[in-house]
Structures are given as structure tokens and as C-alpha cells.
Amino acid sequence: MWLRDRAGYEPANARSPLGARRGLSRVALVIGIAAAVFFAVRAMRTGDEVWVWEAAIAAAVAVIAAIDLVVLKRHRRSPDR
């Protein structure tokens, strides 16, 4: 059985998910900024309130992604790693 040779609680080749999280945050930041700009321009052209809300949601996604990148950067520089 494949579990027979295990020692400890995680496999020897376990990898940290921080790299994938950093990549996803970068993608979310770029897409969030682009979408916020697009929706803001659309709101100014049409005057519809729905585009304002769309721009606000996209901007919130970009802000959350930026905060996550800052947290990941601080986590990477922490002395206990």
C-alpha cells in the first residue's frame, strides 16, 4: 500500500502554496485594475449606476489582491522562515 512508507504527517515532497497564491493575486490585481478602469469609463459614458457598482467591485478585488501581495511579501521576509 502507498501509505506504508510514510513517516510524519506530510509527504517529503510537500510544497508551499504561497507561490500559487502570489501568482493568483498578481493576476487578480491586473484584471481588477483593468476591469475597474473599463467599468469607470463605461459609467462616465452611459451614466448608468450599474457600471459604477461594477467598477467599485472590480476596484475592491484589486485592493484585496494588493493587500494579499503585501502580506505575502512580509511573510516571505519574516525571520522564522
Side-chain angles (χ1 to χ4, degrees), residues 8-80:
Y9 292 102
E10 65 181 44
N13 60 354
R15 296 183 58 186
S16 172
L18 295 179
R21 183 172 152 192
R22 187 179 330 118
L24 289 173
S25 290
R26 286 178 180 167
V27 169
L29 180 64
V30 170
I31 291 174
I33 290 172
V37 169
F38 172 76
F39 292 138
V41 169
R42 191 94 165 144
M44 287 187 287
R45 285 187 182 164
T46 64
D48 292 337
E49 189 176 341
V50 67
W51 298 114
V52 175
W53 285 105
E54 294 286 341
I57 292 169
V61 168
V63 167
I64 291 169
I67 291 170
D68 192 35
L69 285 171
V70 169
V71 168
L72 287 172
K73 189 173 186 179
R74 290 188 73 191
H75 181 71
R76 190 172 201 182
R77 282 196 272 157
S78 67
D80 60 345

